[in-house]
């Protein structure tokens, strides 16, 4: 041995773990709650659990899905959860990954869809008797939980967050690890989450994981946060190590007070013109069936908002496109997020004036789990609406008892009144459909293609398929298409965050895939440009999805706002397009999609070419692959 070798510091040797690791146990926990997939943009901070998923877990239940952006990962889970009724997971990397993911988390929070978001961290040297292991920066592991109850924050998605962090500053390696560490890892998303904890051992992790799931899945649903000790991922576990996974029992959703439900039934039966307004109501397939049963028992009109697939669009009691609120003498609001907006018209004038829509004396009753939980800083709860009876409960869970109470309170005389009322409402519903078809014919041959023509051509191709609209724009699809199955619409984003549509559509298409359904996405152009890489994810994992671009070559809503300001200041609207258009050069979405591995055609400007192009794209989707048709459209 040389003298230098005798006196020099010996090189560090990486200890190879041959037994199970903490992350193997974490995978056991994930399997116990039934995750089928994990969406992830790869990052060194979750290398331990990444490796455990693909090797220890066999890359099955959960299976890893490769994504190109953390926001897309979470939005995929958002869309999947709203269709499948069960969660998929998401891994994301460090504080920077959480920053990328936060908009999608906020949408989920706003949309009340169960998302299980897990973000793990680097709290090293915290387990007695276990050597410190140097690992890469903070883990963020996001997992989207099941919409067994269906509602998250702006969309009321229970997001289960395990935030990554290297708390001990003496263990942070120079450079990026400092930028990826923070004193309070959960603080970034605490305003739009429901609960957080920092497990310090594997038993603590198991208990907190179950507790967090329970809290997240209890209506009103909302995100929860765990800070995952990264040491727990990579610490060795002996072959005989046994760590218990607690039993999970999801609480039954809260039903309305029986006395309040009986009083509501009496009011509904006595009303001459009751109207039911439903927003984020149908969290399971049973929700639509219950609402149909209630409406038919009363022969009452229903206004279904865009939050969920609440009511069949061609049902004779569907008044969503008719003038209904102004004629009502009783309004029943079921999980309505913006009840003030139902009752009032807001004028965007200089002084922000408004006027009531409902007539004086109209009774208003609300059933919503939103009354059970509210946060202050992120104010998605809209303006305060006065009601005559407020039932703080889950809307869908309360419907069966309300239906029974209505039937008990209904006399023979009232049944005859209901029948007469139903006939009149059916005529109003038919008139609304006829009016929609007439209005859709306007600018039928225009170029760029009208949005009505786009939706009509798409409907002509899919109407005989088992289809589901997983993302859409505007109001033409519900006006022209026959939505009559609970899975044919998943609702909007919740928080109106741009960048939601494409990844949510891919996630929803993944959930529809085992059922052989044709998933259809009417894709906004600006939305797709936030994270177009999700199209590659769809191609790579063979997720069949038909995307038809609503390509108006602008962020058109924002363009209209700027033009309104131009008008207000009497400066003309000629320059109002600057900063909101996607032109010079226009984006060729067909080439973008082709480069990411999809069958794609366009850009199409001739309306007569839209239908044949969609038919060719459908052939690709039926082979199990995604496809895209780029249609240059009118703004709305």
């Amino acid at each position: 041995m040389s003298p230098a070798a005798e006196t020099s510091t010996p090189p560090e040797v990486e200890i190879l773990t041959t037994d199970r690791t903490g992350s193997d146990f974490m995978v056991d926990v994930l399997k116990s709650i039934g995750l089928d997939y994990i969406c992830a943009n790869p990052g060194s901070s979750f290398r331990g659990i990444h490796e455990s998923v693909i090797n220890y877990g066999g890359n099955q239940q959960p299976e890893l899905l490769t994504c190109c952006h953390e926001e897309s990962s979470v939005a995929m889970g958002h869309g999947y959860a709203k269709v499948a009724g069960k969660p998929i997971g998401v891994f994301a990397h460090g504080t920077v990954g959480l920053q990328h993911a936060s908009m999608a988390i906020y949408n989920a929070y706003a949309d009340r869809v169960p998302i299980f978001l897990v973000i793990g961290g680097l709290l090293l040297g915290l387990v007695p008797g276990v050597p410190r292991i140097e690992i890469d920066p903070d883990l963020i592991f996001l997992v989207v939980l099941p919409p067994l109850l269906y509602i998250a924050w702006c969309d009321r998605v229970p997001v289960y967050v395990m935030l990554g962090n290297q708390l001990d500053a003496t263990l942070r390696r120079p450079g990026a690890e400092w930028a990826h560490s923070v004193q309070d890892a959960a603080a970034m998303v605490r305003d739009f989450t429901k609960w957080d904890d920092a497990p310090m051992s594997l038993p603590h992790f198991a208990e907190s994981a179950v507790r967090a799931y329970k809290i997240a899945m209890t209506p009103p649903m909302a995100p929860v946060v765990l800070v995952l000790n990264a040491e727990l991922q990579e610490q060795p576990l002996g072959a005989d190590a046994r760590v218990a996974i607690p039993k999970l029992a999801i609480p039954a959703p809260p039903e309305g007070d029986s006395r309040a439900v009986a009083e509501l039934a009496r009011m509904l039966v006595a009303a001459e013109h009751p109207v039911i307004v439903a927003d984020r109501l149908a969290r399971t397939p049973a929700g639509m069936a219950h609402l149909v049963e209630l409406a038919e028992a009363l022969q009452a009109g229903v206004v279904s908002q865009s939050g969920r697939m609440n009511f069949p669009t061609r049902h004779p009691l569907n008044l969503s496109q008719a003038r209904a609120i102004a004629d009502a003498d009783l309004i029943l609001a079921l999980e309505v997020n913006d009840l003030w907006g139902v009752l009032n018209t807001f004028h965007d004038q200089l002084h922000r004036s408004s006027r009531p829509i409902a007539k004086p004396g109209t009774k208003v009753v609300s059933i919503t789990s939103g009354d059970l939980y509210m946060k202050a800083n992120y104010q998605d709860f809209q303006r305060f609406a006065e009601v005559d009876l407020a039932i703080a409960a889950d809307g869908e869970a309360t419907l069966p008892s309300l239906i029974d109470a209505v039937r008990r309170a209904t006399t023979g005389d009232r049944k005859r009144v209901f029948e007469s009322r139903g006939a009149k409402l059916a005529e109003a519903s038919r008139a609304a459909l006829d009016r929609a078809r007439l209005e859709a014919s306007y600018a039928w041959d225009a170029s760029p293609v009208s949005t009505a023509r786009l939706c009509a051509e798409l409907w002509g191709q899919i109407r005989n398929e088992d289809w589901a609209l997983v993302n859409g724009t505007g109001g033409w699809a519900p006006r022209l298409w026959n939505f009559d199955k609970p899975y044919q619409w998943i609702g909007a984003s919740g928080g109106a965050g741009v960048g939601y549509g494409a990844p949510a559509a891919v996630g929803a298409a993944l959930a529809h895939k085992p059922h052989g359904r044709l998933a259809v996405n009417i894709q906004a152009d600006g939305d797709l440009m936030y994270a177009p890489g999700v199209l590659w994810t769809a191609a790579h994992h063979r997720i069949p999805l038909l995307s038809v671009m609503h390509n108006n070559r602008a962020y058109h809503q924002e363009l209209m706002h700027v033009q309104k300001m131009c008008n207000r200041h009497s400066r003309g609207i000629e320059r109002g397009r600057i900063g909101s258009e996607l032109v010079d050069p226009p984006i060729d979405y067909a080439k973008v999609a082709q480069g990411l591995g999809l069958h794609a055609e366009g850009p199409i400007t001739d309306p007569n070419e839209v239908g044949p192009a969609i038919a060719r794209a459908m052939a690709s989707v039926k082979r199990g692959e995604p496809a895209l048709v780029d249609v240059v459209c009118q703004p709305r």
Side-chain angles (χ1 to χ4, degrees):
M1 181 179 296
S2 68
E6 291 177 350
T7 58
S8 62
T9 302
E12 292 186 8
V13 178
E14 182 176 4
I15 299 173
L16 301 179
T17 302
T18 56
D19 294 329
R20 290 198 307 146
T21 64
S23 57
D24 292 347
F25 172 74
M26 293 174 185
V27 170
D28 289 337
V29 175
L30 301 185
K31 287 180 178 289
S32 77
I33 58 176
L35 295 180
D36 289 330
Y37 300 100
I38 297 287
C39 295
N41 179 239
S44 58
S45 61
F46 54 80
R47 66 182 187 178
I49 198 163
H50 184 151
E51 188 274 338
S52 290
V53 166
I54 60 179
N55 283 326
Y56 173 77
N59 203 32
Q60 293 181 340
Q61 291 185 315
E63 174 189 349
L64 197 67
L65 302 179
T66 308
C67 297
C68 301
H69 196 289
E70 288 87 353
E71 184 175 344
S72 296
S73 296
V74 179
M76 279 184 64
H78 190 163
Y80 182 95
K82 287 164 67 166
V83 172
K86 62 181 301 183
I88 62 175
V90 181
F91 292 152
H93 172 65
T95 55
V96 290
L98 179 59
Q99 289 166 352
H100 280 158
S102 60
M103 181 63 244
I105 297 170
Y106 183 66
N107 270 341
Y109 183 80
D111 202 26
R112 279 65 162 178
V113 172
I115 294 183
F116 189 90
L117 175 61
V118 183
I119 306 177
L122 292 177
L123 305 177
L124 299 183
L126 297 175
V127 181
V130 178
R132 291 177 176 177
I133 305 171
E134 183 177 346
I135 62 178
D136 287 347
D138 339 16
L139 163 75
I140 295 182
F141 155 33
L142 308 139
V143 182
V144 181
L145 290 186
L148 305 173
L149 302 179
Y150 221 84
I151 324 179
W153 188 254
C154 288
D155 203 17
R156 289 305 183 266
V157 177
V159 180
Y160 191 108
V161 184
M162 292 188 216
L163 293 172
N165 195 39
Q166 172 58 291
L167 185 60
D168 191 336
T170 66
L171 297 178
R172 296 176 191 161
R173 292 171 297 176
E177 190 160 277
W178 279 80
H180 296 174
S181 301
V182 65
Q183 288 181 314
D184 183 356
M188 189 189 312
V189 293
R190 185 165 289 140
D191 275 338
F192 44 95
T193 54
K194 193 175 180 183
W195 182 79
D196 64 85
D197 192 23
M200 306 304 287
S201 67
L202 290 177
H204 188 178
F205 168 80
E207 291 184 11
S208 291
V210 172
R211 188 191 307 275
Y213 190 108
K214 222 173 146 178
I215 291 171
M217 295 298 292
T218 302
M221 299 178 188
V224 293
V225 177
L226 295 181
V227 180
L228 179 60
N229 186 342
E231 175 73 8
L232 298 180
Q233 293 179 69
E234 300 197 12
Q235 73 176 64
L237 288 178
D240 58 347
R242 296 290 183 268
V243 185
I245 301 175
K247 181 187 296 185
L248 172 66
I250 301 296
E255 295 184 31
D257 174 78
S258 59
R259 289 173 297 180
V261 169
E263 172 63 13
L264 171 57
R266 186 195 64 76
M267 295 170 67
L268 286 168
V269 170
E272 295 302 320
H273 300 288
V275 173
I276 303 169
V277 183
D279 188 5
R280 292 170 181 151
L281 172 70
R283 51 175 174 73
T284 75
M288 187 169 81
H290 290 328
L291 184 54
V292 169
E293 188 176 359
L294 175 63
E296 290 180 349
L298 291 162
Q299 288 298 299
V302 175
V303 175
S304 180
Q305 298 186 308
S306 62
R308 297 293 182 269
M309 183 63 227
N310 295 308
F311 204 72
T313 56
R314 299 282 178 87
H315 193 285
L317 296 175
N318 191 320
L319 300 184
S320 302
Q321 307 300 329
R323 184 177 182 268
I325 300 300
D327 297 329
D329 62 349
L330 187 149
I331 296 170
L332 171 58
L334 299 173
E335 299 291 355
V336 174
N337 185 53
D338 183 11
L339 181 53
W340 187 93
V342 170
L343 304 174
N344 299 274
T345 296
F346 179 79
H347 296 287
D348 186 18
Q349 304 298 331
L350 190 59
H351 299 293
R352 303 293 196 268
S353 62
S354 62
R355 63 175 176 81
I357 299 173
K359 62 187 179 182
T362 297
K363 299 293 185 182
V364 179
V365 180
S366 66
I367 305 178
T368 176
S369 59
D371 285 343
L372 298 172
Y373 178 76
M374 194 168 290
K375 300 272 260 188
N377 193 27
Y378 284 82
Q379 300 195 353
D380 67 313
F381 44 76
Q382 310 296 317
R383 286 191 63 178
F384 185 83
E386 297 182 12
V387 300
D388 297 279
L389 175 62
I391 301 177
D394 180 76
E396 181 180 316
T398 303
L399 283 182
S401 60
L402 177 58
I403 293 167
D404 289 343
V406 165
R407 295 194 189 282
R408 289 194 301 269
T410 302
T411 64
D413 288 342
R414 293 309 292 169
K415 279 186 179 180
R416 287 186 285 275
V417 171
F418 295 171
E419 290 170 1
S420 174
R421 179 169 67 209
K424 294 176 182 177
L425 294 179
E427 180 56 36
S429 181
R430 283 192 297 269
L433 177 59
D434 291 342
R435 185 168 60 252
R437 287 169 170 165
L438 174 63
E439 292 173 356
S441 68
Y442 301 157
W444 186 255
D445 295 317
S447 178
V449 180
S450 72
T451 54
R453 177 76 183 264
L454 173 70
C455 285
E457 293 288 353
L458 183 52
W459 174 239
Q461 297 297 325
I462 70 170
R463 62 188 305 168
N464 295 320
E465 307 288 338
D466 186 12
W467 59 271
L469 181 62
V470 293
N471 178 53
T473 60
W476 280 110
R479 294 183 72 186
L480 297 176
W481 300 9
N482 182 19
F483 291 77
D484 60 1
K485 297 181 176 61
Y487 55 77
Q488 288 179 327
W489 171 241
I490 66 172
S493 67
V498 183
Y500 157 89
V506 173
L510 177 66
H512 283 302
K513 182 178 178 179
H515 305 284
R517 299 172 189 147
L518 174 65
V520 181
N521 169 30
I522 304 176
Q523 178 60 49
D525 52 341
D527 180 275
L528 180 61
M529 290 308 294
Y530 269 63
V534 75
L535 297 180
W536 178 87
T537 297
H540 178 70
H541 292 286
R542 305 295 188 270
I543 300 173
L545 172 65
L546 173 62
S547 295
V548 180
M549 295 298 302
H550 175 252
N551 181 4
N552 60 22
R553 293 179 171 171
Y555 298 101
H556 194 76
Q557 177 172 278
E558 286 64 35
L559 187 153
M560 291 190 300
H561 278 299
V562 175
Q563 288 182 336
K564 184 173 290 186
M565 294 301 99
C566 293
N567 280 330
R568 180 175 291 176
H569 301 137
S570 299
R571 293 172 179 163
I573 64 170
E574 291 78 10
R575 297 171 60 83
R577 309 182 74 86
I578 296 174
S580 300
E581 287 189 315
L582 294 171
V583 297
D584 193 22
I587 300 167
D588 189 329
Y589 294 95
K591 287 184 178 178
V592 171
Q594 289 165 2
L596 295 170
L598 279 70
H599 166 91
E601 298 187 30
I604 295 172
T605 57
D606 183 347
N608 295 313
E609 296 178 4
V610 174
I614 292 173
R616 292 188 292 270
M618 281 178 57
S620 177
V621 175
K622 288 182 177 181
R623 292 194 298 270
E625 300 174 355
L628 179 144
V629 177
D630 182 8
V631 183
V632 180
C633 292
Q634 299 285 342
R636 289 183 177 268

